């Protein structure tokens, strides 16, 4: 229990009212030392202030004289106080800057209030991470890892993972490759950083809607992005000009939805061959298609003209920070040179665990299970809108983890604001529009139906329907 003593006024050149609270563990000597330190540190005892003599302070506090003497001696040794014959004990001049105001700890900035409902795109259901299966793979990988795996990592990535990925992307995505042409990275953004500007140069053609973060990353690397118009067939690749590279989401355009039309898939390959160019294929959610089998990767049409980039950020979790590039042979050495002599981004142990997770079949089982779950969530979203907001058109629902809701003209901004007021997190379509896009900008919402936990999804849908503009 804390004890407090307050000394009486002492006339030592000037009135000194010194209020000390002696509390805490360690006895009265330790408590007095702490109290005097805090008085100096907080500015209540300014540099040069003369302290009461041992006997006076001991009498005021009701402690032994030796207790005060020992406390003073300790603080002198620490540099908080000085003691000279004839001038008594004073606060050291260096204990605080002369004239400096007492340092008041800054309050931590208030945290932004977390929304009650989260329908933002971009993340899977975190509660569905396959913890038991991943732990089993991690244990097996750890037990079976060769000793050299615990040394500096190969910048290409662990061969076990590259072999597993070569088999998986061939089977699941129609990618044609071999382990030597796969380079492990920490995700799509890391892949862009490795490619630009040291391996590839701008300008880079991009779809007129996409992640602003990627555009900012490229801009920071002095790469100019040129927007391609979009329609129901995907990017209008016939508008490609003098660019030597183009970034596409051919399996499922982000965020507007829909695959790249077969004729345009062939046309962009022809463009790359004729121009000596390269296509960057962002296969961000290629496994999740609900109306038929997933559309095969564009890379399968010409492995020497397409850089295929994938990750587990949507299928498993962005927390794993694991992705891969399937490279044309001519780019492998250049990318590895940029990456450096050692793996500095992707955990070797996580790579080994993912390799086991794929080889054991656990990855396929997880994707099938989540495909079924996300399809159910999509269906619930569509049904809720049909019942409560039939005037709202829903697009981009054949695949992926989000849908686009087309809004009446002029209502997007007010709807997003209303969502914020109701504690609902979602994104307006305009947020993803390229600033130089020339085509019309329809109003809409990008609604991620994968993010909420299963038990929270119904309430999130209710909140969404509550903020939509009337028909």
């Amino acid at each position: 229990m804390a004890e407090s003593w307050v000394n009486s006024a002492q006339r030592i050149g000037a009135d000194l009212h010194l209020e000390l609270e002696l509390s805490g563990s360690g006895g009265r000597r330790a408590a007095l030392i702490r109290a005097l330190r805090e008085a100096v540190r907080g500015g209540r005892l300014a540099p040069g202030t003369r302290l009461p003599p041992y006997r006076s302070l001991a009498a005021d506090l009701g402690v032994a004289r030796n207790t005060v003497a020992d406390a003073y001696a300790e603080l002198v040794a620490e540099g908080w106080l000085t003691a000279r014959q004839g001038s008594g004990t004073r606060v050291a001049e260096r204990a605080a800057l002369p004239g400096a105001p007492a340092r008041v700890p800054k309050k931590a900035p208030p945290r932004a209030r977390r929304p009650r409902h989260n329908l933002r795109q971009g993340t899977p259901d975190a509660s569905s991470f396959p913890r038991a299966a991943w732990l089993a793979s991690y244990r097996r990988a750890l037990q079976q890892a060769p000793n050299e795996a615990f040394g500096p990592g190969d910048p290409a990535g662990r061969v076990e993972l590259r072999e597993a990925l070569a088999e998986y992307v061939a089977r699941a995505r129609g990618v044609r490759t071999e382990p030597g042409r796969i380079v492990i990275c920490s995700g799509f953004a890391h892949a862009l950083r490795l490619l630009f500007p040291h391996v590839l140069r701008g300008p880079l053609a991009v779809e007129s809607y996409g992640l602003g973060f990627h555009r900012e990353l490229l801009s920071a690397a002095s790469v100019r992005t040129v927007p391609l118009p979009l329609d129901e067939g995907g990017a209008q690749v016939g508008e490609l000009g003098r660019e030597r590279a183009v970034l596409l989401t051919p399996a499922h355009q982000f965020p507007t939805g829909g695959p790249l039309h077969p004729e345009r898939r062939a046309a962009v390959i022809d463009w790359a061959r004729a121009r000596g160019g390269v296509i960057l294929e962002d296969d961000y959610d290629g496994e999740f298609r609900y109306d038929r089998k997933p559309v095969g990767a564009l890379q399968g049409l010409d492995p020497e003209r397409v850089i295929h980039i994938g990750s587990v950020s949507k299928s498993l979790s962005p927390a794993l920070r694991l992705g891969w590039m399937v490279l044309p042979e001519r780019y492998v050495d250049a990318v590895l040179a940029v990456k450096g002599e050692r793996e500095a981004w992707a955990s070797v142990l996580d790579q080994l665990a993912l390799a086991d997770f794929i080889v054991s079949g656990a990855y396929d089982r997880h994707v099938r299970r989540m495909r079924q779950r996300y399809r159910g969530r999509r269906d619930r979203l569509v049904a809720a809108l049909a019942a409560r907001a039939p005037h709202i058109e829903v697009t981009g629902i054949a695949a992926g983890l989000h849908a686009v809701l087309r809004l009446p003209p002029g209502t997007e901004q007010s709807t997003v604001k209303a969502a914020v007021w109701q504690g609902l997190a979602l994104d307006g379509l305009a947020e993803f529009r390229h600033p130089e896009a020339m085509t019309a900008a329809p109003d809409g919402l990008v609604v991620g139906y994968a993010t909420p936990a299963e038990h929270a999804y119904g309430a999130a849908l209710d909140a969404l329907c509550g903020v939509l503009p009337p028909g």
Side-chain angles (χ1 to χ4, degrees), residues 203-232:
L204 172 69
V206 298
E207 296 159 335
S208 58
Y209 280 82
L211 278 177
F213 169 67
H214 292 162
R215 293 193 297 267
E216 293 167 3
L217 187 155
L218 291 162
S219 178
S222 300
V223 176
R224 185 170 69 92
T225 56
V226 180
L228 291 174
L230 290 170
D231 59 21
E232 65 278 0

